[in-house]
Amino acid sequence: MAPFFFLTFFSLLTTHLSHAQLSCLTLQSINKIVYNHCNELPHLNSYLHWSLDASKNTLSIAFVARPATTDGWISWAINPTGDGMPGAQALVAFKASNGSMVVKTFNISSYSSIMEGKLAFNVKDTRADYFDGVMRIFATVELPEKGMTSVNQVWQVGPSVSADGFPAKHAFQPANLGAKGRLDLLSGQSSSGPSGGIGGGDSRTKKRNIHGILNAVSWGILFPVGVIIARYLRAFPSADPAWFYLHAFCQVSAYAIGVAGWATGLKLGSELKGVTYNTHRSIGIALFSLATVQIFALFLRPNKDHKFRFYWNIYHHGIGYSILVLGILNVFKGLDILSPESKWRSAYIITISTLGALALLLEVITWIVIMKRKSSKSTKPYDNKQQPLAP
Ligand SMILES: *[C@@H]1O[C@H](CO)[C@@H](O)[C@H](O)[C@H]1NC(C)=O
Ligand SMILES: *[C@@H]1O[C@H](CO)[C@@H](O)[C@H](O)[C@H]1NC(C)=O
């Protein structure tokens, strides 16, 4: 079992070290510009990082989205006169035919009149980049009026750009049509309409962090610690029955925290429109089911000498190791989705590697103890209280 343990740890570490998905947290500071706010916009898997400079009346933004195709465009706009596309003063980014990213400004006075040119407000420091299928528009806009507390924003992604640099029509799916809302410059929230609606990215980020911490602590740390206690403390006669209570305490607390974390995850999942993290979700549901079965195992445990105890052990250990592997795997899947600052991922990797190294050390010690016991068994009668090491 131990080699399997380590193979799992290290394959998890290597496959998950570099890969990262879009989220507010990945991009909190971009090229040394630190944005004070980030909103996960409610449609099109898009993000807006922004800072308000009230004294200069400017808004610095970084709009992040995936274009509809790799040859597509992304756009973010302020609409000073309405709340949809007509009237929007848009920044559009795409890859020019010479291969470099360009930002153009479009005055969209109506669906039929989309003019490249100056906007109703000054825009400076425009720039765009394209990396890993994700485009970003950077800009500093002078707010249309002094002291504005909110602006209407519109964003969009499209499939292609004509040879003369004009963005092709975007799709008319509900997500495309719904990609507009109000950005509240005072509270930092974005909402899907003047009357509120989907919660802002900031509060959702907080909920996601709570979900991440609960689950990393329970499935990702407490459960493995409980397994290590059960597997290795038990080899020492003096630790009986203390190991059992420690083990049960660890796993029952892990389960309680894990269920709370699981529930926050389901809630978060149901709030996400149009994005589902299927693997993370499925593993989460499997974990909850297995762990619930495992809690029942505690009550169904036959006596040590019962003839069914052997089968119970196989079942308990089988499910236990499955939870261990799936739990750690899902913490990494969750880290991919949440993409917190790299120190969090590093902290978890260090914790789990330390536990892995501890397990390896204890595995060696256990085998030395067993070998010694075997060699002294020939001279001493077998100590009946010892349980065989399983599995
Ligand atoms: C590429 O084309 C865009 C406009 O089409 C232009 O602004 C930019 O300077 C060009 N870049 C290079 C490196 O030629
Ligand atoms: C945008 O287009 C409309 C209609 O053509 C025009 O009235 C308006 O002045 C334009 N805005 C700017 C900033 O050029």
Side-chain angles (χ1 to χ4, degrees):
M1 201 32 104
F4 172 63
F5 243 43
F6 289 105
L7 273 182
T8 314
F9 281 145
F10 292 116
S11 62
L12 279 174
L13 296 191
T14 47
T15 52
H16 288 271
L17 270 174
S18 57
H19 177 79
Q21 255 167 322
L22 271 190
S23 94
C24 261
L25 294 161
T26 19
L27 302 156
Q28 209 110 55
S29 102
I30 303 168
N31 301 344
K32 305 207 180 83
I33 309 170
V34 177
Y35 295 92
N36 294 335
H37 300 277
C38 174
N39 298 115
E40 178 178 350
L41 301 177
H43 297 287
L44 302 172
N45 196 15
S46 309
Y47 296 82
L48 185 76
H49 297 260
W50 58 275
S51 294
L52 178 70
D53 185 334
S55 62
K56 291 187 189 147
N57 198 35
T58 56
L59 184 67
S60 295
I61 61 114
F63 172 71
V64 184
R66 287 178 206 279
T69 73
T70 51
D71 301 320
W73 52 268
I74 67 169
S75 168
W76 182 82
I78 287 180
N79 190 335
T81 53
D83 68 354
M85 187 168 150
Q89 306 292 298
L91 298 159
V92 179
F94 56 88
K95 190 184 257 180
S97 47
N98 61 15
S100 58
M101 289 295 296
V102 293
V103 181
K104 290 189 174 182
T105 50
F106 287 88
N107 170 15
I108 305 171
S109 47
S110 73
Y111 288 109
S112 55
S113 163
I114 301 173
M115 305 268 289
E116 189 188 341
K118 276 186 75 70
L119 302 185
F121 41 80
N122 284 328
V123 184
K124 40 176 200 172
D125 307 331
T126 57
R127 196 162 56 78
D129 64 12
Y130 191 15
F131 183 71
D132 237 2
V134 176
M135 283 184 185
R136 305 190 292 188
I137 301 177
F138 303 90
T140 301
V141 303
E142 212 164 88
L143 289 173
E145 289 162 40
K146 196 119 186 105
M148 289 184 89
T149 56
S150 72
V151 291
N152 286 330
Q153 59 174 343
V154 190
W155 63 99
Q156 201 50 261
V157 300
S160 61
V161 179
S162 72
D164 56 349
F166 199 81
K169 217 178 251 177
H170 58 79
F172 284 80
Q173 297 301 313
N176 298 89
L177 300 177
K180 58 184 182 179
R182 197 176 50 128
L183 181 65
D184 189 326
L185 302 173
L186 287 183
S187 73
Q189 304 285 302
S190 77
S191 57
S192 53
S195 55
I198 295 171
D202 284 354
S203 76
R204 198 179 314 160
T205 299
K206 202 176 288 167
K207 279 192 235 161
R208 287 174 151 210
N209 289 346
I210 292 172
H211 166 76
I213 290 169
L214 288 179
N215 285 306
V217 166
S218 61
W219 310 103
I221 297 173
L222 269 180
F223 254 114
V225 167
V227 170
I228 289 175
I229 290 172
R231 180 165 174 83
Y232 301 110
L233 278 194
R234 179 166 59 163
F236 303 99
S238 53
D240 196 26
W243 74 263
F244 173 78
Y245 293 110
L246 270 175
H247 172 65
F249 174 75
C250 248
Q251 305 316 57
V252 170
S253 337
Y255 181 74
I257 301 172
V259 168
W262 184 73
T264 58
L266 287 188
K267 179 98 190 348
L268 281 171
S270 70
E271 283 172 7
L272 273 184
K273 306 273 184 290
V275 203
T276 41
Y277 300 108
N278 280 327
T279 321
H280 185 65
R281 187 185 152 83
S282 309
I283 296 178
I285 291 171
L287 270 174
F288 170 75
S289 316
L290 287 173
T292 305
V293 169
Q294 196 71 315
I295 291 291
F296 278 108
L298 197 64
F299 301 109
L300 298 175
R301 196 163 57 115
N303 201 288
K304 259 180 202 171
D305 312 317
H306 196 284
K307 61 179 175 187
F308 287 147
R309 179 62 178 242
F310 173 73
Y311 299 105
W312 184 87
N313 279 345
I314 293 179
Y315 144 86
H316 184 64
H317 296 150
I319 294 187
Y321 283 117
S322 311
I323 293 176
L324 178 73
V325 171
L326 288 177
I328 295 170
L329 176 72
N330 224 24
V331 169
F332 280 105
K333 288 266 172 229
L335 282 168
D336 283 349
I337 295 169
L338 204 56
S339 311
E341 280 176 66
S342 57
K343 66 179 179 196
W344 290 104
R345 184 184 290 264
S346 311
Y348 184 66
I349 289 173
I350 291 169
T351 309
I352 205 69
S353 308
T354 310
L355 286 178
L358 181 71
L360 184 65
L361 181 74
L362 289 170
E363 186 77 26
V364 172
I365 295 175
T366 307
W367 282 104
I368 294 172
V369 170
I370 290 178
M371 293 306 173
K372 280 214 180 116
R373 207 178 281 158
K374 273 204 180 124
S375 59
S376 61
K377 207 163 71 177
S378 45
T379 54
K380 266 196 279 177
Y382 184 64
D383 178 359
N384 215 12
K385 269 199 284 194
Q386 288 311 311
Q387 293 183 33
L389 263 177

